[in-house]
Amino acid sequence: MPTGFLRKQNRQDLNNFPEVVEESDLITYFLLTPADLEQVDYGQTDAHRLGFALLLCSLRYLGFFVAEIHSAPTPVVAYLGEQLDCNPAVLLEYGSRPQTRREHQQYLLDYLGFRWMTDPDEQTLLTWLSDRALENDRPSTLLQQASERLYKQRIVRPGITRLERLVIQARQQAHQMTYERIAVDLDDELRAKLDTLLQPAPVRGHTPLIWLRRAARSDSAQHILETLSKLAFVQQWDIDEWQLSTLPPARIQHLVQIARRASNQALQRKSAQQRYPILMAFLADARTYLTDEALDLFDQRLAQTERKAKRDLITYQVQLSATLQQNSWYWGRIAGVVLDDTVPDAAVRDHIFELVSREQLVGLLLTLDQQQSLGKIDFFNNRYSYLRRFFPALLRALTFHAYQPPDALLEAIDILRQINEDEGPLPQLLTGVPTDFVPSDWRSRVINRDGTVNRRWYDLCVMWSLQHALRSGRIWVEHSRRYTHLDTYLMPQAIWEQQRDVFFELVPIQADSHVQLDLLQTQLEEAYRQLDAQLPEDQALRIEANRIVLTPFDAEAEESPLSDQIQALMPHLQLAELLHEVDTWLDFSAHFEHAGGSSSRIERFNHHLYAVLLAQARNIDFQQMVDVVDLSYRQLLWYNNWYIRAETLEPATTEMVNYQYQQPLSHYWGDGRFSSSDGQRFPVAVRTQNATPLPRYFGFGRGLTFLTWTSNQYSQYGTLVTPPTHGEAAYTLDKILDNDTELVIQEHTTDTAGYTDLIFALFDLVGIQFAPRLADIGDTRLYRINRKLAYEQIDTLNIRTLNLDLIHQNWSDMLRLAASLKFRWITPSIIIRKLQAFRRQHVLTQALQEYGRLVKTIFILRYFLSESYRRRIASQLNKGEKLHALRGYIHSANRGQLRKRYPGDHLNQANCLNLIINAIIVWNTVYMQAAVQHLRENGQEISDEELSHLSPVRYEHINVHGKYSFDISAPLNELGLRFLLFD
């Protein structure tokens, strides 16, 4: 049984005051009210009064009495001393008599309404934590949730070791509950069938588990059919009869990750109580995963077909243009004969055929006819045979449903499925089939003049229409995660009712829509009033042509003399040396555990770790890495396969982010509550499933986007890999809600690409301020609630009125969606992309957009009102841009082109790059602190303002290329050449 998950230093920190108390917290929690001052008089001496006040405020601020009261930050003690008119130094005299402190603590419990935690309280908390662990069993998250719950219940938080033990027990109970709930369905027959997943199949040469785990490499017909074959295998199991729905999706995913990473041997070594539930969870997830993969591949293949059809059309049009130019000469000569009065009418035809033969003339007319009729759709037909290789199998394997039945497209799908299953040749013409779904530009090809339907074109039209219907949600698919019915994304209503109180404990939002909207209306009207009063006097703002024009502020200087001084003091080193040194500080390598649960480690474990991390981050393949490290290719590949994955890389990165948060210098750059996200695009040199073309960045090639989330302390706490054609806005919440670091993100910014009205709404509903930098912000639509309010300056603006009834009517579903995101019931990007894709928007989308417009308008008004706020947002986005430059410097090998084929490998590479970037930031911060200390010791005065303008994004002193050796003492043959390599 593990004894704890916190380090000794972490425990000490969590039992005492934080090193830095923000000014806003200082005023909120350490300002003594008149009632407080009456209680402080309970102490007699200044030392007792000050100590008593510090205990009072610490309980109100932290929810517990600190272990070392003398560890309070100097500004806190000084602030209280100023209010009590006593010397802060007298605090050293407090606590010499333990009985005094105990008496003061008991007195304060009664005054503030707190109480000590009892054994029944501990058992209740353990039960509550076990339920939370089923949703998310990250220890740090559970520790934070337990602390918040105790504070709201006015129970003094016990010592961190006791709370840590409760978290460990809760996680163990959650694991046990997981296996017990799934094992209900196990019998001897199912156990024997599950065992076959771990036995090699004679035909394939490997186990069904390995076969099912392999992702498709491309959207070719062959890989689509292979995916459908896997899906057919999984569909043979009675998955719907298993009791998996009693567990939160996050808990199922925990078991799935074990199955996807562990080897056959590791799974066989697990106890039956664990092994079978793991395999059952994997099969259930595989059905969903393979369904989505098949649909994704179908979507990508159709998109690729459309792109090729466009290129074919352009090629055809170019050729046609050349042909027409050539043939225009013939038409000119023909016209010359017709217009020549000297040529008798009876001889015109003969003269024309002397210049142009009948066959040439027929060709000219045919060319003109083709010019009028051919379009992009006609070139779909060229690839019909290829698409038919997999489309019937797709219709056979999947069960489609209409969001609003009846639906003509769904009827057409059923008809084609029946035609494909019938024996005999396919019919050329169809009659009596639904055609309402056929777009106008397809109708002339699909429907003949006699009313019959061309089956070939009908087939193509159904494929094309199905692709768009799946994207919009008009058609949904059974057992899919990304293409399912919209309501299934939300937390079930019964569970939502159980979790309502917990949600409102975690999120500062009102359960009653009228109360919430009244609060926002007050903020909106006050912001309008302030802007109306400020406009005449603010030189940065003016109204022109019924829009607000915002004058950009002058940019601040990037570098300073202090920055140059510090850079001159920074030691020069290899990137590998930097990584090793950071590991000696943090021991982040301890997070890299064998995927199969093996406790054994290979010789020179850390050398392999550093080599693999650097190879992935630098974009070097392992064959190339062998040339610069004294390790074998097989060792590197083995280590990568067993130790490098999101479950190890993310905790290691979290360790670095937390370490950066603890550095004094990092708090000059930010408090860790403000962050930004942005995408960085990389070209891909191989065929891979999720890479897509984007000519603006990749020319004729393809690429991927690495999204990163950056705190205002320059740490990067999250990363994702997405196709570059996907809007970044949909992913903005993903890593904020999946954040397991000590950073408590309360505000987030992006550039314009990361913003939509719907994103504004969801951020507000989960309790986070969204503050994007909007391009052409003066053109952004503003909204109001009360049209009767008049303003002197801004009444000339075109301000629309919000429909609050839409929000009131859908408030419950909006809250249920927010809870689904907060409790990680669904990944935000999945539901956001679905909500945004509806052709005719879902009423929930409309309500969210209306709410988002209200929140957005309040933000924009505040943005106009404060230049410091605008600078703060721009400064945070600039931090991300600086980190992009550093990431490009690190990820520069092989021209920066990604060469891995599978999406999982791309995510690993992004996580490795993120880890290396954080290591550089941590190392630079630590050495910059040492440099500042050195300069101060040598008499240089350095202000806080100068420190706040420093940046740890610097890499001139880091050698990422390695060292060259000019030792040419290699053994030579009789010809004076190196020996050739032979097998």
Side-chain angles (χ1 to χ4, degrees):
M1 174 179 175
T3 57
F5 55 87
L6 295 173
R7 297 183 179 184
K8 182 179 179 181
Q9 184 61 47
N10 296 140
R11 296 189 185 98
Q12 292 176 354
D13 294 342
L14 290 171
N15 276 329
N16 290 290
F17 284 101
E19 291 185 4
V20 178
V21 176
E22 301 296 335
E23 184 179 4
S24 59
D25 288 342
L26 189 67
I27 296 172
T28 302
Y29 296 100
F30 293 89
L31 176 64
L32 298 173
T33 66
D36 293 340
L37 291 171
E38 290 182 10
Q39 302 301 320
V40 170
D41 288 338
Y42 176 77
Q44 298 176 353
T45 67
D46 283 351
H48 282 182
R49 293 171 65 238
L50 183 56
F52 184 89
L54 193 53
L55 286 176
L56 186 158
C57 295
S58 66
L59 180 59
R60 187 159 54 200
Y61 176 45
L62 301 170
F64 63 90
F65 296 111
V66 296
E68 298 290 340
I69 193 171
H70 302 104
S71 70
T74 301
V76 170
V77 181
Y79 187 56
L80 288 176
E82 180 183 349
Q83 296 177 73
L84 298 176
D85 193 23
C86 66
N87 188 345
V90 301
L91 182 63
L92 295 174
E93 304 172 13
Y94 180 76
S96 58
R97 182 172 173 266
Q99 180 64 26
T100 300
R101 182 172 177 177
R102 286 195 294 269
E103 290 176 357
H104 286 179
Q105 288 178 349
Q106 189 57 51
Y107 189 92
L108 288 171
L109 292 180
D110 296 335
Y111 171 61
L112 294 178
F114 277 78
R115 60 185 174 86
W116 301 110
M117 189 168 76
T118 63
D119 290 341
D121 291 331
E122 180 174 332
Q123 190 57 44
T124 301
L125 179 61
L126 177 60
T127 302
W128 185 85
L129 274 177
S130 298
D131 291 336
R132 301 290 76 72
L134 285 173
E135 301 159 0
N136 177 8
D137 73 342
R138 290 183 176 177
S140 58
T141 301
L142 294 172
L143 189 68
Q144 178 184 352
Q145 290 179 337
S147 300
E148 292 173 352
R149 180 175 175 82
L150 290 172
Y151 187 91
K152 290 179 179 180
Q153 292 183 327
R154 315 300 280 179
I155 298 175
V156 178
R157 198 210 73 186
I160 201 64
T161 302
R162 184 179 177 188
L163 203 57
E164 185 181 14
R165 175 175 52 80
L166 283 175
V167 168
I168 293 173
Q169 288 180 317
R171 295 179 76 235
Q172 291 173 337
Q173 287 190 13
H175 286 304
Q176 186 64 26
M177 291 162 59
T178 299
Y179 294 124
E180 290 176 352
R181 291 187 187 182
I182 298 179
V184 170
D185 299 297
L186 281 170
D187 55 30
D188 292 340
E189 181 181 354
L190 182 55
R191 289 187 180 91
K193 193 175 180 181
L194 289 169
D195 285 335
T196 62
L197 293 174
L198 305 178
Q199 299 169 3
V203 177
R204 302 188 191 96
H206 47 251
T207 67
L209 180 67
I210 293 177
W211 177 58
L212 293 172
R213 291 193 307 201
R214 289 182 178 173
R217 295 197 307 272
S218 72
D219 55 19
S220 67
Q222 177 186 351
H223 286 97
I224 295 176
L225 288 171
E226 178 73 5
T227 300
L228 293 173
S229 176
K230 295 175 186 177
L231 181 58
F233 174 85
V234 172
Q235 289 173 336
Q236 298 173 4
W237 300 74
D238 298 326
I239 295 173
D240 291 330
E241 297 181 7
W242 300 343
Q243 301 299 312
L244 299 177
S245 60
T246 60
L247 291 169
R251 177 53 49 177
I252 298 295
Q253 282 303 310
H254 172 75
L255 300 182
V256 171
Q257 289 305 316
I258 296 175
R260 287 195 172 278
R261 290 291 180 181
S263 65
N264 277 9
Q265 294 81 357
L267 288 172
Q268 289 170 345
R269 286 196 300 268
K270 288 186 177 294
S271 66
Q273 182 189 24
Q274 295 180 342
R275 180 171 67 253
Y276 296 124
I278 288 173
L279 294 175
M280 293 168 70
F282 170 78
L283 286 170
D285 180 77
R287 181 175 64 175
T288 299
Y289 175 83
L290 291 169
T291 298
D292 285 345
E293 184 176 63
L295 292 170
D296 286 343
L297 295 176
F298 167 71
D299 181 272
Q300 293 165 16
R301 173 44 50 187
L302 265 290
Q304 176 70 0
T305 300
E306 184 172 5
R307 286 192 292 269
K308 289 183 177 179
K310 288 180 180 178
R311 290 200 297 266
D312 290 349
L313 176 60
I314 293 173
T315 301
Y316 168 77
Q317 289 173 337
V318 170
Q319 294 173 348
L320 182 62
S321 176
T323 301
L324 290 176
Q325 288 179 358
Q326 181 182 10
N327 291 349
S328 63
W329 181 80
Y330 289 104
W331 290 111
R333 298 192 68 183
I334 292 172
V337 172
V338 173
L339 297 175
D340 190 349
D341 294 336
T342 64
V343 178
D345 291 348
V348 168
R349 181 188 296 266
D350 294 334
H351 278 73
I352 289 176
F353 286 152
E354 287 178 3
L355 298 175
V356 183
S357 68
R358 178 181 291 274
E359 291 74 14
Q360 287 177 318
L361 190 57
V362 170
L364 293 178
L365 292 173
L366 181 61
T367 300
L368 289 176
D369 183 62
Q370 289 177 339
Q371 182 188 22
Q372 296 173 353
S373 61
L374 288 186
K376 175 188 69 175
I377 297 174
D378 292 278
F379 292 94
F380 268 77
N381 191 39
N382 296 344
R383 293 169 176 83
Y384 173 75
S385 297
Y386 187 83
L387 298 175
R388 275 286 303 181
R389 288 178 57 186
F390 65 83
F391 191 58
L394 184 80
L395 296 185
R396 182 171 60 252
L398 303 178
T399 303
F400 298 93
H401 299 276
Y403 183 76
Q404 293 179 330
D407 191 291
L409 177 59
L410 184 62
E411 296 176 18
I413 290 172
D414 292 336
I415 290 171
L416 288 181
R417 184 186 291 117
Q418 183 61 47
I419 292 174
N420 293 330
E421 292 176 357
D422 290 342
E423 297 181 359
L426 294 173
Q428 298 300 311
L429 299 175
L430 302 175
T431 57
V433 296
T435 57
D436 293 346
F437 68 93
V438 178
S440 58
D441 50 349
W442 282 78
R443 297 190 73 84
S444 62
R445 298 162 179 84
V446 174
I447 304 174
N448 300 319
R449 293 182 178 179
D450 59 1
T452 60
V453 172
N454 184 299
R455 197 267 315 158
R456 181 186 180 102
W457 278 108
Y458 192 72
D459 216 352
L460 281 170
C461 185
V462 168
M463 294 182 202
W464 188 87
S465 300
L466 178 59
Q467 177 200 27
H468 293 274
L470 288 169
R471 287 179 176 181
S472 69
R474 173 186 162 193
I475 298 293
W476 60 276
V477 182
E478 208 168 276
H479 306 310
S480 170
R481 182 177 291 114
R482 287 193 291 274
Y483 301 92
T484 187
H485 194 284
L486 182 63
D487 291 346
T488 62
Y489 289 111
L490 304 181
M491 178 183 294
Q493 188 66 38
I495 297 179
W496 160 233
E497 295 299 333
Q498 298 172 4
Q499 299 291 336
R500 282 180 66 92
D501 293 341
V502 178
F503 174 72
F504 291 119
E505 288 178 4
L506 299 175
V507 178
I509 199 167
Q510 301 297 319
D512 189 323
S513 62
H514 294 85
V515 177
Q516 179 67 15
L517 292 179
D518 286 345
L519 290 173
L520 292 178
Q521 181 174 356
T522 301
Q523 297 175 24
L524 177 69
E525 293 175 357
E526 176 61 19
Y528 269 127
R529 186 195 64 76
Q530 291 180 14
L531 180 63
D532 192 64
Q534 183 172 314
L535 265 168
E537 302 176 359
D538 194 331
Q539 296 181 354
L541 294 174
R542 65 185 186 277
I543 295 180
E544 291 182 0
N546 298 330
R547 62 188 292 271
I548 296 179
V549 178
L550 179 63
T551 303
F553 50 76
D554 295 331
E556 298 179 352
E558 288 292 328
E559 298 295 335
S560 66
L562 177 61
S563 179
D564 295 336
Q565 286 180 287
I566 289 176
Q567 185 59 45
L569 293 171
M570 298 291 277
H572 288 249
L573 77 169
Q574 306 289 322
L575 183 55
E577 295 174 325
L578 182 150
L579 194 60
H580 170 71
E581 189 169 356
V582 172
D583 196 17
T584 62
W585 303 339
L586 284 73
D587 192 26
F588 67 79
S589 58
H591 291 283
F592 289 85
E593 301 175 349
H594 192 283
S598 173
S599 59
S600 62
R601 290 199 170 195
I602 58 177
E603 186 180 355
R604 295 196 295 172
F605 173 85
N606 284 9
H607 290 194
H608 289 82
L609 170 63
Y610 304 150
V612 170
L613 291 176
L614 290 174
Q616 295 268 32
R618 291 276 295 119
N619 198 37
I620 301 172
D621 64 41
F622 297 136
Q623 288 284 15
Q624 294 173 314
M625 198 65 182
V626 168
D627 293 334
V628 294
V629 296
D630 187 22
L631 300 169
S632 74
Y633 170 76
R634 289 184 178 179
Q635 287 175 325
L636 292 178
L637 188 61
W638 182 89
Y639 185 93
N640 179 75
N641 291 343
W642 283 110
Y643 288 91
I644 301 300
R645 59 191 188 278
E647 293 79 11
T648 57
L649 290 164
E650 290 177 358
T653 300
T654 295
E655 197 77 49
M656 294 185 185
V657 174
N658 292 343
Y659 192 82
Q660 177 72 358
Y661 179 75
Q662 296 162 7
Q663 302 310 302
L665 185 56
S666 70
H667 284 270
Y668 286 97
W669 304 325
D671 56 9
R673 301 180 186 181
F674 189 31
S675 68
S676 58
S677 57
D678 196 11
Q680 189 172 17
R681 293 171 177 84
F682 294 102
V684 176
V686 296
R687 295 285 295 180
T688 182
Q689 176 185 337
N690 54 344
T692 58
L694 196 63
R696 177 183 175 187
Y697 295 97
F698 311 123
F700 293 105
R702 295 167 175 253
L704 290 169
T705 297
F706 284 13
L707 291 175
T708 50
W709 282 255
T710 304
S711 78
N712 56 5
Q713 298 177 333
Y714 287 98
S715 56
Q716 295 200 309
Y717 62 89
T719 186
L720 279 177
V721 181
T722 69
T725 51
H726 286 192
E728 294 176 12
Y731 298 91
T732 307
L733 268 171
D734 281 16
K735 287 302 176 180
I736 298 176
L737 296 181
D738 195 34
N739 170 33
D740 195 36
T741 70
E742 293 179 9
L743 303 174
V744 181
I745 305 301
Q746 298 179 352
E747 189 172 7
H748 188 79
T749 183
T750 67
D751 57 20
T752 303
Y755 133 78
T756 65
D757 292 341
L758 189 144
I759 299 300
F760 265 106
L762 292 178
F763 263 89
D764 190 77
L765 290 171
V766 297
I768 302 172
Q769 173 66 53
F770 186 45
R773 179 178 62 187
L774 306 181
D776 300 323
I777 191 170
D779 293 326
T780 306
R781 180 78 63 185
L782 297 177
Y783 293 84
R784 70 199 316 172
I785 294 175
N786 187 353
R787 295 193 61 84
K788 296 180 180 179
L789 293 177
Y791 301 98
E792 185 176 345
Q793 303 292 330
I794 62 178
D795 272 353
T796 59
L797 301 176
N798 184 15
I799 303 176
R800 293 189 177 181
T801 304
L802 291 163
N803 179 7
L804 297 190
D805 289 340
L806 190 60
I807 301 173
H808 289 306
Q809 294 164 5
N810 294 277
W811 186 245
S812 179
D813 283 342
M814 292 167 63
L815 292 177
R816 184 157 68 106
L817 171 58
S820 303
L821 299 177
K822 188 69 175 178
F823 294 131
R824 304 185 186 185
W825 196 268
I826 185 67
T827 302
S829 56
I830 294 177
I831 182 65
I832 290 171
R833 291 185 64 209
K834 183 62 63 175
L835 288 169
Q836 291 176 333
F838 266 77
R839 183 176 298 178
R840 291 183 294 275
Q841 290 176 341
H842 190 279
V843 65
L844 179 57
T845 306
Q846 297 172 9
L848 287 167
Q849 288 177 333
E850 201 72 6
Y851 185 78
R853 288 164 186 151
L854 171 56
V855 177
K856 178 188 68 176
T857 302
I858 295 173
F859 160 73
I860 290 175
L861 296 176
R862 290 175 176 171
Y863 189 88
F864 283 142
L865 286 168
S866 174
E867 180 178 317
S868 62
Y869 190 34
R870 299 195 292 271
R871 286 185 179 275
R872 180 168 171 267
I873 292 172
S875 174
Q876 176 58 31
L877 289 171
N878 288 340
K879 291 177 181 179
E881 292 294 336
K882 290 179 182 179
L883 283 163
H884 278 344
L886 174 58
R887 292 166 65 87
Y889 176 67
I890 299 299
H891 187 86
S892 58
N894 294 306
R895 297 185 296 174
Q897 294 180 329
L898 302 173
R899 299 192 295 179
K900 300 183 182 301
R901 296 185 179 276
Y902 297 106
D905 293 332
H906 299 148
L907 181 58
N908 284 346
Q909 192 166 3
N911 274 314
C912 287
L913 179 59
N914 219 35
L915 186 146
I916 296 298
I917 295 300
N918 278 291
I920 293 173
I921 296 302
V922 165
W923 191 94
N924 283 345
T925 301
V926 170
Y927 275 88
M928 288 170 66
Q929 290 174 162
V932 169
Q933 182 65 26
H934 169 78
L935 293 173
R936 282 176 167 169
E937 289 174 354
N938 284 273
Q940 182 170 335
E941 293 186 2
I942 300 175
S943 67
D944 291 352
E945 180 69 16
E946 289 178 288
L947 294 177
S948 68
H949 286 89
L950 294 175
S951 167
V953 185
R954 51 184 73 225
Y955 45 88
E956 297 90 340
H957 54 288
I958 302 172
N959 179 9
V960 303
H961 307 293
K963 290 185 177 181
Y964 294 100
S965 173
F966 299 98
D967 180 9
I968 56 173
S969 59
L972 305 178
N973 62 18
E974 65 276 9
L975 300 176
L977 303 177
R978 294 173 183 264
F979 288 94
L980 299 176
L981 299 178
F982 297 94
D983 294 335

